[in-house]
């Protein structure tokens, strides 16, 4: 970073520190693949886990891509075929039509959402029993349970949860520190939220 850029970055830190209500934890500036500046605002410091919120969906999508590449399932596979224990004679056509691609693109039509998680132990069952609001693939409706079902699919087909599956493929090769991911009552990573990382690993 040259003098002019350094002065700008210093000014940015100063302004963030003075900004009322900004609640900035830290700032990492990367340029050309290298960290060129890093600053933290008390009580935060380097190496402290931060919740990723929906950023973790990128890690879920990466796990799905790797699982597809390794032949565990395909993008256009019907998800219901991997969970026959949740399908009955009453399972609707729309539910059976949901594909991996529909979950990735948030166009499955699933109506069970995070609000319902507090009332259910088995979230996969709740998804399969929920109403499907529209023909899968016809409309985008953001719902983190799409990502959760992808997490469940990765675990069902690979025998590994997301953290275990991604550790030798992504986290270890890239030098990540510890990774935490909250799980549902059935022991499946939430997929769409609940992941904790060091900000530099993000």
């Amino acid at each position: 970073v040259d003098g002019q850029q350094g002065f700008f970055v210093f000014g940015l830190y100063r302004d963030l520190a003075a900004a009322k209500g900004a609640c900035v934890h830290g700032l990492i500036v990367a340029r050309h693949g290298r960290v060129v500046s890093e600053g933290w605002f008390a009580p935060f410091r380097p190496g402290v886990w931060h919740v990723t919120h929906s950023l973790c969906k990128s890690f879920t999508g990466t796990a799905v891509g790797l699982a597809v590449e390794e032949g565990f399932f395909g993008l256009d596979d019907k998800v219901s075929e991997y969970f026959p224990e949740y399908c009955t004679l009453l399972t609707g056509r729309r539910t059976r039509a949901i594909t991996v691609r529909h979950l990735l693109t948030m166009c499955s039509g699933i109506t069970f959402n995070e609000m319902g998680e507090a009332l259910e132990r088995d979230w996969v069952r709740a998804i399969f029993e929920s109403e499907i609001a529209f023909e899968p693939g016809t409309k985008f409706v953001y719902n983190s349970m799409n990502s959760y079902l992808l997490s469940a699919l990765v675990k069902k087909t690979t025998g590994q949860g997301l953290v275990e599956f991604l550790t030798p493929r992504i986290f270890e090769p890239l030098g990540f520190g510890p990774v935490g991911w909250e799980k549902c009552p059935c022991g499946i990573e939430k997929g769409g939220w609940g992941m904790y990382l060091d900000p530099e690993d993000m």
Side-chain angles (χ1 to χ4, degrees):
V1 180
D2 64 30
Q4 185 176 4
Q5 291 170 326
F7 181 77
F8 170 78
V9 172
F10 174 77
L12 178 59
Y13 286 121
R14 183 193 58 219
D15 292 347
L16 287 171
K20 292 201 184 304
C23 299
V24 179
H25 296 191
L27 176 67
I28 299 173
V29 180
R31 182 170 169 78
H32 302 302
R34 294 175 52 206
V35 173
V36 297
S37 179
E38 185 171 342
W40 299 91
F41 299 85
F44 300 100
R45 62 189 187 283
V48 174
W49 267 358
H50 274 64
V51 66
T52 63
H53 300 294
S54 287
L55 176 139
C56 71
K57 290 179 172 69
S58 297
F59 289 95
T60 302
T62 298
V64 168
L66 290 167
V68 168
E69 181 70 21
E70 294 176 27
F72 288 102
F73 52 82
L75 290 176
D76 295 310
D77 288 357
K78 303 283 194 303
V79 178
S80 60
E81 294 175 3
Y82 293 95
F83 295 97
E85 66 273 28
Y86 293 103
C87 294
T88 69
L89 292 174
L90 300 177
T91 303
R93 180 188 58 78
R94 286 181 176 177
T95 301
R96 294 179 186 275
I98 295 170
T99 65
V100 175
R101 190 183 304 272
H102 293 147
L103 297 174
L104 282 168
T105 56
M106 297 277 177
C107 61
S108 67
I110 291 169
T111 56
F112 180 72
N113 58 37
E114 300 98 308
M115 298 296 288
E117 69 171 77
L119 304 175
E120 296 286 347
R121 182 183 184 284
D122 189 335
W123 298 356
V124 175
R125 181 187 58 74
I127 289 170
F128 274 89
E129 291 180 357
S130 70
E131 178 187 352
I132 305 302
F134 50 83
E135 194 68 32
T138 61
K139 191 182 344 181
F140 172 89
V141 175
Y142 190 87
N143 182 344
S144 291
M145 283 299 173
N146 287 287
S147 300
Y148 169 76
L149 191 52
L150 289 169
S151 175
L153 177 64
V154 169
K155 185 163 187 176
K156 182 77 179 282
T157 57
T158 70
Q160 298 178 312
L162 291 179
V163 173
E164 186 181 2
F165 183 75
L166 287 172
T167 293
R169 294 166 174 84
I170 298 293
F171 301 150
E172 286 180 348
L174 292 178
F176 273 46
V179 175
W181 210 325
E182 296 172 7
K183 296 179 180 180
C184 75
C186 291
I188 299 166
E189 282 99 340
K190 292 180 177 178
W193 71 103
M195 184 187 197
Y196 296 83
L197 291 173
D198 184 306
E200 189 161 341
D201 292 339
M202 289 186 211

